[in-house]
Structure formats: structure tokens, C-alpha cells
Amino acid sequence: MQDERVSKPLSLNEIRSRAAEFVVAWRESPGDERQDAQTFVSELLGVYGITERRAALYEKRAKRTSTGAGGYIDALVPGQLLIEMKSAGKPLWVAEQQALDYMDALSDNEQPRYVLTSDFKRFRLLDMKSPEGDDVTEWTLEELPRLASKLAFLAGYQTREFGSKEQEAASIKAAQLMAELWTALDGSGLSDHDAGVFLVRTLFALYADDSGVWERGLFEEFLETRTAKDGSDLGAQLVSLYQVMNQPLERRPASLDELVRRFPYVNGGVFEDPLPIPFFDRQVRARLMQASAFDWHEISPAIFGSLFQAVKSPEARRSLGEHYTTETNIMKTLGPLFLDELREWFDTARHDVTALKKLRAHLAEIRVLDPACGSGNFLIVAYRELRMLELDILVRLQELGDKTAVPTLYFERDDLAVQLSHIGGIEIEEWPAQIARMAIRLVDHQANMQMELALGKAPDTLPLDTVKIIHVGNALRTDWAEVMPATGRVRVVGNPPFIGQSLKSAEQTADLKYVWGKQYDGYLDYVTGWYKKSIDYFAGVNGGRFAFVSTNSIVQGQPVPALFRPIFEAAWRIRFAHQPFAWVSEASGAAAVHCVITGFDQETKTAPILYTYASPTDQPIAVTAGFINGYLIDGPSVFVEKRMRPISSLLPAINYGSKPVDGGHLIVEEEEYDA
């Protein structure tokens, strides 16, 4: 039986019910700013599960920018919402200007995205980060139950577009906070592995606090009220809390602290392994409190995973904004490989119930494997887009009058066409694998919240299922079929390591010899092992597809015949290709790598698409091609073979030249000269 004392996020139906009760309580109020404002605001926030004790600051003193005089903000939910009240009948735009006048007095963590003004009878919501012209919404008190979703972000529901600049900025800030925590963990007595596990668990708790996984601010309340300010008991208290979150409710002791009892059972292996008790101090607690004040539901798991992966490296921590792949670049691979096709299918079928159901059944067969997944960004974006498409199908079916696809009472996880078990990854290192597992859980929760927002019901995020998504191992030595059986609906994607043929270690060279066998000629980049593994994985299977990001060296010179001839001979063609472009983070100062993307299938019905670039940093231009060859040119399949002698006897021989490939031993720097 569910313990009623366990914290649960609010469903939209519950929020709407509370909103209706709020309207009944306030519709006859005269609306006096001085007497009723704080009670009105407190009860309004209570509709969304924000208690007076948690997550809201009332009558916060702040300086007005225009006059320099002091004043009071009626209420502030740090990082999310500023509320300013006026008496009934007063113009709301005046209250809004007053609210904006306080902004400069707020810290970075306090800066809200939204400003809500009200005169007890009307509401006006300003979204300060929305595109111009779509930033203000107004509604009446009586309309609140119907439009309760306008403020659903207070309960952790995601309301912004995925991949936005705001999400990127929030993710960079979040990673900086985690990097500061990692630095503060030094001297805690935890090993590098245990510190990583501790940080991943803490990330989950921070995110859950703001995103509707459990009652808003519960973890922050625990930190404030159950840990000493000097941090002396912080480690012991957190280890104890994390153990409780791994216990089913029926196994928890009756004498458990009432606050700790409110944390739900998480499962999914997040809190499974025991941790030693770390020893913390005031600094660690201060860092953790600072992190808990941040609004974690704003982050994008797709790029945050890459950022979080970098927090262990001192060098990477100094430039965290450079350590992620933009979603734009990820979609350059996923879109033309399979997502664009699915979206076109949806657009064609949007007026046909039978066709929409057929598309949803097709989604249930799609599988995505990333055999070089790192922190999981390709898998995260793929899963998110598939869940989003399924939601669009369900919404459209309801609009067409078909109610059969959405269960009447509860939406269980098994009711979804797109399941977490439909994605899989292989990663050689444990740390990024841990991050990938967590980030995928976060995007799954975001997808559930989007479904709740659109349909009024969705699967419960907790307890997490135990499906094994990310497998740790050397992808070139692992049997991919053991991770995900090969079928015609599998889409293999990824961004394997960029290691040139002259820079491979002895172990990496051995990996390539293992994969390529007698076909290995010594001039293949490390990334080509994933191409060979793909064609072997799909041997005897019709309908499979794969696409990888690689450096442009694979489409130049001697490696081209060695790589592309075996692929073409195995009856694969290039379905799409991006000619060389700059694979850059959009963060300032990020290093650029010139890359290509090549996607393969064995189909003949559709023409291949070639994406060309006027310059490496320009936007791609898609053109239909007849045949894309190994040099990523629309032309016949020809190969320029290696020659040691000139074609003409009239031409001199070409020597290797003076290329510095000696590891730097023949280059003498100025400081190395004798004085």
C-alpha cells in the first residue's frame, strides 16, 4: 500500500482541482493589496504544490533600479517566478513595470524567467525569454482551472522548446555548479569512483527537487533542516538518505524520520550500491546549498551529460562551455537517418486515424543503438524525439475523435509504443556510462511530464525500471547483438573516437586488426572499426541503417578505398552525407574539428541526399544526388589507389618531405637553447 506520507508530484488533474477550489475561495474577495496579497499568493502557489515553507520568498526586500529606493517583492520563487500584486481594478502593466524594476537587485540564481502580476481578478504572465510578440498571456480568475497549465512550470512541467539557447545556458551553469561540488569533494575520503557515484546521486536529487519527481524543495528542506551548518554530519546524513531511497516503502522502519519518509522509492539502480560515509565541511555544504537553489528542471539532459562528464578534469572544468555537442549537430545525424522520415509520415497521416495508428505501431519497432555512446547525447535526443512524436500522434488521434489509444484511467509504462528498452549504448568507461544512465532517466521524466501536460495522464517516473540501457565495454570487442539483436528496424548511430591512423595506440591498432582482419592495411583511422562492425552486425538483415560522425580524413586520400570499397561491396550505399563542416560547440572559444557525417542503408527507392557547405561554418544545403561515392561527391564509385611511382616517367618522384611526425623530438624550442 502506498504510504500517504511519501512525497508525490502533483498531476495536472490535481492541479486543476486545486485551482477550482482556489477560485471558489477568492471570487468574492474585495481584493485589497495590503490585507490580502500575501495570503492570495501563498494559496495560489499552494495550487502547484509550493508550500509557504518551501521554495518561495514572501515580502522580499529589494532595491528599485529606477529610483534607488527600497521596496518589497510580494513573492519570489527563485529562478522561476516573481509575483507582484495590486488591488482589484489597478492596471497590471503598472505592477509589471514595478516588478521589472526589482530585477537588478536579484542574484543570478534568483533571476526569474517569468513575472506574474494580478489584481485578484485577473492574471498577467510575462515570459522574459520568449520570442518577442509571444511573451505575455492574460486570463481571469475564473479561467484559472482551464488554463492551469500556464503556471505548470511551478510543479516541474517543462514548457520550453528543447534545444533552446536558454536550456544550453542553464545546462552550462548547472555543470559549473557540479564542477564546484566535485572540487569541494577533494579530501572527503571518497575514492574517485565513489565520488562520481555520490555526485550522480546528488544530481538526481537536485533535479528531482525542481522537476516534479517528488514534492518541490524536499531535498533542499532536508539539507537545511537535517544537516549541521558546519557540514560535519552532511556525509552521514546523505548516505543514510540515499540508502532510504533504495528501500521499498514496506521495508522502511517505522521509526524513520518523518521528513526522510517523504522521499519515494527510486529503484533503477541509482542508489543501489553502498557508499562509504564521506567527511565534509562547511564549504561542501555551502556548495551543495548553492546548487540546491538553482532551478534544475531547466537543464537539457542532451548536452548536460557531456558537460557533467567533463567535471572530473581540471583542464575541462576551466572551459566547461566547450565540452558539449549541440543538438543541431546531433540532429544532422539522426534527422536524415530516420527521424525526418518519421515526421514526414506523421504530416502525411495527420488526417487519417488508421495511418496514425500504423505509424505508432511502427514506432514500437524502432530500436536505436549507439556503440560509442559516451554520456549518451545521441541516445537522449533520439529517445526524446521518438517520445515527442508518439505524443503528437496521441494528441492528434484525440483531436480526430479517437479515444482508444489513451487509457481511460491510468497510462502505464507498458502502454507506450516507445520504451526505454528500445535504446541501447556501449561505452568503454564507467564514468560517462553512469552519466548516460542518469541523463536518459532525466529525459524520460521530461517526456512523461510533457505527456501529462498534453493528455492529463502519463506513466509514473518512479520507481525507475531496471532495464539495462548502457553497457560498459570495448565496442570493437563486444558482440553488439548481445546488447541489441540486429533487425531491420535498428538504427546504429554515434560519434566514435577521433584518432588518426598515425596516433593509434598499440591496443587500438590491435582492435582494428581484430575487426578488419586481413582487410586492415594500417592506414585506417580508429573510427573505421565502427563502420566494419556495423556491416558485420547487419549481415543477413534487411532494412538496417547506420550513421557516424567522423573526421574528414576518412574521405581523403589513401583511407577511402580501404574503407568504402568493403562497404559498397556488401551492398550498402550512402543514404546521406554531410560534406566537411566545422563540428563546433556554440560556446565561445570552443575548438573546431572538421567532420563529415555518413549514413548508410541498402535501399533503392529513395534518392540519396548530399549536404554541401559553402564554408565549414555555414549552414548545409541539401541536394538530391544520383550516387554519393567515398569522396562524398555525387558521381560514380571510383577509387584513387595508392601509387609509389609517378604515372609519367617525365615527372620526378615525390618524397615524403619534412613533415614533423617525430613526436616533437626534432623541434627545439627557444627556452631549450643554451643561454
Side-chain angles (χ1 to χ4, degrees):
M1 179 179 294
Q2 173 71 44
D3 190 328
E4 295 181 356
R5 291 169 291 185
V6 172
S7 163
K8 294 194 67 176
L10 293 178
S11 69
L12 271 180
N13 286 337
E14 173 65 17
I15 289 172
R16 292 187 182 106
S17 176
R18 292 184 178 198
E21 294 174 0
F22 177 82
V23 170
V24 171
W26 285 95
R27 62 164 47 116
E28 302 299 331
S29 170
D32 184 275
E33 178 185 357
R34 292 184 179 275
Q35 294 184 10
D36 301 325
Q38 186 166 331
T39 303
F40 182 89
V41 171
S42 175
E43 293 183 5
L44 175 64
L45 293 175
V47 168
Y48 295 90
I50 299 180
T51 63
E52 186 168 344
R53 172 176 174 76
R54 302 301 317 140
L57 305 175
Y58 298 95
E59 295 291 330
K60 177 179 172 60
R61 187 169 182 81
K63 182 182 293 186
R64 300 187 64 166
T65 301
S66 61
T67 64
Y72 291 91
I73 298 171
D74 285 327
L76 176 69
V77 182
Q80 285 198 321
L81 180 68
L82 185 151
I83 302 177
E84 193 65 36
M85 298 294 300
K86 289 297 177 185
S87 294
K90 297 290 184 180
L92 295 184
W93 67 267
V94 174
E96 187 176 279
Q97 291 303 310
Q98 181 178 331
L100 295 174
D101 210 15
Y102 290 125
M103 290 295 176
D104 289 343
L106 301 178
S107 68
D108 288 344
N109 282 345
E110 290 176 328
Q111 287 286 336
R113 172 172 178 169
Y114 300 95
V115 171
L116 180 68
T117 51
S118 178
D119 68 346
F120 297 86
K121 305 299 180 184
R122 296 170 297 144
F123 296 94
R124 176 182 170 94
L125 183 68
L126 170 66
D127 181 351
M128 295 187 292
K129 295 179 181 178
S130 181
E132 188 175 355
D134 188 32
D135 56 358
V136 174
T137 308
E138 295 191 12
W139 65 93
T140 66
L141 175 66
E142 298 291 338
E143 292 175 309
L144 181 62
R146 180 173 62 85
L147 300 177
S149 61
K150 297 293 184 184
L151 299 176
F153 58 85
L154 291 170
Y157 290 90
Q158 180 67 272
T159 57
R160 66 178 44 178
E161 289 296 317
F162 291 109
S164 67
K165 294 291 185 182
E166 291 76 19
Q167 275 200 323
E168 289 189 5
S171 299
I172 292 171
K173 175 62 176 176
Q176 289 168 341
L177 290 169
M178 298 309 284
E180 291 170 1
L181 259 179
W182 176 267
T183 303
L185 287 176
D186 187 36
S188 66
L190 292 176
S191 67
D192 196 53
H193 169 79
D194 289 340
V197 172
F198 175 84
L199 212 59
V200 167
R201 291 176 180 178
T202 302
L203 164 64
F204 180 87
L206 291 167
Y207 180 82
D209 232 27
D210 292 328
S211 60
V213 175
W214 57 54
E215 174 191 340
R216 183 182 176 88
L218 184 62
F219 183 62
E220 186 175 7
E221 181 179 353
F222 174 84
L223 294 174
E224 286 185 351
T225 63
R226 297 300 191 270
T227 66
K229 291 184 178 181
D230 64 2
S232 58
D233 64 350
L234 178 63
Q237 290 285 65
L238 286 175
V239 167
S240 175
L241 174 65
Y242 294 161
Q243 287 176 344
V244 168
M245 283 194 274
N246 192 49
Q247 288 181 319
L249 307 183
E250 64 274 11
R251 288 173 44 196
R252 295 181 179 181
S255 59
L256 193 64
D257 182 313
E258 187 64 28
L259 174 59
V260 175
R261 185 182 295 278
R262 285 159 56 193
F263 284 88
Y265 172 47
V266 174
N267 198 15
V270 178
F271 298 98
E272 185 174 14
D273 296 330
L275 274 181
I277 296 176
F279 295 92
F280 295 142
D281 56 18
R282 185 183 301 273
Q283 179 190 22
V284 178
R285 185 178 186 274
R287 293 294 190 194
L288 192 51
M289 293 303 301
Q290 180 185 14
S292 69
F294 180 76
D295 186 7
W296 288 85
H297 100 289
E298 301 268 348
I299 68 171
S300 165
I303 67 170
F304 179 70
S306 298
L307 291 164
F308 193 17
Q309 183 179 339
V311 304
K312 278 190 172 185
S313 164
E315 295 77 16
R317 287 200 298 269
R318 287 194 288 269
S319 53
L320 269 174
E322 301 176 21
H323 291 271
Y324 69 94
T325 300
T326 65
E327 293 191 30
T328 299
N329 278 341
I330 295 171
M331 288 299 291
K332 286 180 180 179
T333 305
L334 299 178
L337 186 65
F338 69 103
L339 289 178
D340 292 347
E341 176 185 64
L342 296 174
R343 274 290 166 188
E344 290 171 6
W345 186 347
F346 174 73
D347 291 338
T348 302
R350 62 182 303 111
H351 301 295
D352 186 333
V353 169
T354 301
L356 287 170
K357 289 185 174 181
K358 184 177 179 180
L359 172 57
R360 186 171 181 235
H362 179 79
L363 293 186
E365 298 176 353
I366 295 291
R367 303 292 185 269
V368 183
L369 172 65
D370 184 347
C373 70
S375 53
N377 50 5
F378 278 75
L379 292 174
I380 289 164
V381 174
Y383 180 75
R384 186 195 71 202
E385 293 297 313
L386 290 170
R387 284 290 305 271
M388 194 180 303
L389 178 55
E390 181 180 8
L391 177 58
D392 289 344
I393 293 170
L394 293 173
V395 170
R396 184 60 184 152
L397 284 171
Q398 288 199 329
E399 291 172 349
L400 294 175
D402 188 289
K403 307 295 185 182
T404 61
V406 178
T408 304
L409 296 177
Y410 302 106
F411 213 120
E412 303 291 347
R413 181 164 292 278
D414 289 344
D415 295 323
L416 293 171
V418 180
Q419 300 279 339
L420 277 172
S421 58
H422 295 178
I423 62 174
I426 305 171
E427 167 54 37
I428 197 167
E429 296 182 4
E430 178 62 37
W431 170 241
Q434 284 187 41
I435 297 167
R437 294 180 188 121
M438 176 59 64
I440 288 168
R441 304 295 187 182
L442 301 189
V443 81
D444 180 58
H445 173 68
Q446 288 182 344
N448 291 340
M449 297 296 274
Q450 286 291 98
M451 179 172 279
E452 173 85 27
L453 198 60
L455 300 177
K457 61 189 72 173
D460 289 334
T461 296
L462 296 181
L464 302 177
D465 61 43
T466 56
V467 59
K468 188 175 183 181
I469 300 168
I470 307 300
H471 301 252
V472 177
N474 181 340
L476 297 187
R477 302 278 183 165
T478 298
D479 183 354
W480 295 1
E482 293 182 357
V483 176
M484 183 172 289
T487 72
R489 295 289 186 258
V490 175
R491 307 297 178 244
V492 175
V493 299
N495 184 4
F498 295 160
I499 302 171
Q501 61 93 4
S502 63
L503 300 176
K504 298 189 298 290
S505 68
E507 182 179 356
Q508 290 162 345
T509 299
D511 286 341
L512 285 187
K513 290 180 178 178
Y514 174 81
V515 171
W516 282 99
K518 293 181 179 180
Q519 292 177 296
Y520 180 66
D521 69 353
Y523 284 91
L524 289 168
D525 289 356
Y526 193 51
V527 69
T528 65
W530 277 260
Y531 288 77
K532 182 61 165 64
K533 287 281 288 189
S534 294
I535 62 176
D536 291 346
Y537 171 68
F538 282 120
V541 173
N542 293 321
R545 301 177 191 173
F546 66 95
F548 294 118
V549 180
S550 311
T551 55
N552 59 354
S553 60
I554 70 163
V555 297
Q556 299 174 351
Q558 188 170 337
V560 178
L563 172 60
F564 286 93
R565 179 178 282 119
I567 295 176
F568 293 156
E569 288 178 348
W572 292 87
R573 64 147 189 177
I574 298 179
R575 175 186 176 88
F576 74 93
H578 285 263
Q579 291 181 341
F581 67 97
W583 181 271
V584 294
S585 159
E586 295 181 10
S588 174
V593 177
H594 285 182
C595 293
V596 295
I597 303 174
T598 46
F600 299 84
D601 66 18
Q602 295 177 308
E603 301 172 13
T604 57
K605 294 181 180 179
T606 60
I609 302 296
L610 184 61
Y611 294 88
T612 65
Y613 294 78
S615 76
T617 57
D618 282 342
Q619 293 301 307
I621 299 172
V623 295
T624 301
F627 180 85
I628 301 175
N629 65 26
Y631 301 94
L632 304 193
I633 295 172
D634 184 3
S637 180
V638 296
F639 296 107
V640 179
E641 302 288 354
K642 173 183 175 181
R643 289 183 60 91
M644 301 302 293
R645 297 179 180 179
I647 296 175
S648 171
S649 61
L650 300 177
L651 296 175
I654 298 176
N655 294 317
Y656 195 66
S658 58
K659 179 181 177 182
V661 292
D662 62 298
H665 300 297
L666 296 180
I667 298 176
V668 182
E669 303 293 347
E670 182 178 354
E671 62 270 15
E672 296 179 279
Y673 282 93
D674 292 335

